[in-house]
Amino acid sequence: TIIPIILIILGYIFPSTFFSNQESIRNFVNQFGVFAPIAFIILQILQVVLTPISHYTVSIAGGFIFGLWQGFFYNYIGRVLGTAIAFYLGRKFGRKIIKHVVKPETLQKYDYYFNKSKALLFLAYFLPLFPDDELSYLAGFSSMSPLVFLPLMMIGHISGSLSLAYIGNGI
């Protein structure tokens, strides 16, 4: 619980220090030449795992640098891989820590609410301007099955990846 809270606070305190505009991202990515798409996908993965990096800016930059369809594709791949990594990091480390800090009844309530709100979780990933990176860790903390979470997240990321690439392509 503490790790996502710290990451959220860092994101609000230092938003401009982490690739704050599309031009800085474009310059960073273009320096990799033919490996620019791979560098961008890695940057997209990192912006999910290290939540203070602005996912809006990075995703808009995808459309700005690569155009609508390639930007969408690279945004989507990076966001899906980053979200899966965050989920599994939460699953591997978070649950073990939470069991020692939270009462079993509280953990059961949390699991119940998280598992009942699958539609809300889907909407969080589907809506392009919703800060969803922290939810990936929280989903990993929960008892939600990866077989439920991963397809829900993969389908949900289509809208956000496409719409932000569309905005970036229009800049």
Side-chain angles (χ1 to χ4, degrees):
T1 305
I2 293 171
I3 292 170
I5 290 171
I6 290 171
L7 292 173
I8 291 169
I9 292 169
L10 285 174
Y12 285 109
I13 293 173
F14 303 110
S16 62
T17 61
F18 297 103
F19 290 116
S20 61
N21 63 55
Q22 290 87 359
E23 195 61 45
S24 67
I25 294 172
R26 176 183 236 171
N27 293 336
F28 174 78
V29 169
N30 283 335
Q31 76 183 359
F32 292 96
V34 295
F35 297 107
I38 293 169
F40 181 78
I41 290 170
I42 291 169
L43 180 61
Q44 191 67 274
I45 290 168
L46 288 174
Q47 72 79 19
V48 174
V49 176
L50 305 172
T51 59
I53 299 174
S54 170
H55 88 264
Y56 310 115
T57 305
V58 175
S59 296
I60 289 171
F64 180 67
I65 297 168
F66 300 107
L68 175 62
W69 296 110
Q70 281 183 312
F72 157 67
F73 183 70
Y74 300 147
N75 278 342
Y76 181 75
I77 293 202
R79 293 207 32 89
V80 165
L81 290 174
T83 301
I85 290 169
F87 175 82
Y88 282 108
L89 285 172
R91 176 66 37 108
K92 175 119 176 105
F93 300 109
R95 189 85 177 176
K96 292 175 185 174
I97 294 168
I98 287 175
K99 284 182 181 179
H100 298 292
V101 178
V102 176
K103 294 180 195 173
E105 305 84 47
T106 305
L107 191 57
Q108 286 174 343
K109 264 194 235 180
Y110 169 76
D111 287 338
Y112 172 79
Y113 289 123
F114 213 91
N115 284 318
K116 287 293 182 187
S117 62
K118 291 178 187 98
L120 292 176
L121 184 63
F122 170 78
L123 284 174
Y125 288 113
F126 185 78
L127 298 172
L129 299 177
F130 192 83
D132 56 17
D133 297 335
E134 296 81 6
L135 288 176
S136 307
Y137 286 101
L138 294 174
F141 295 173
S142 77
S143 64
M144 180 180 278
S145 164
L147 295 174
V148 172
F149 175 77
L150 293 173
L152 189 135
M153 169 271 297
M154 290 172 74
I155 295 168
H157 272 314
I158 292 171
S159 170
S161 297
L162 181 59
S163 61
L164 291 173
Y166 179 78
I167 292 169
N169 187 54
I171 293 177

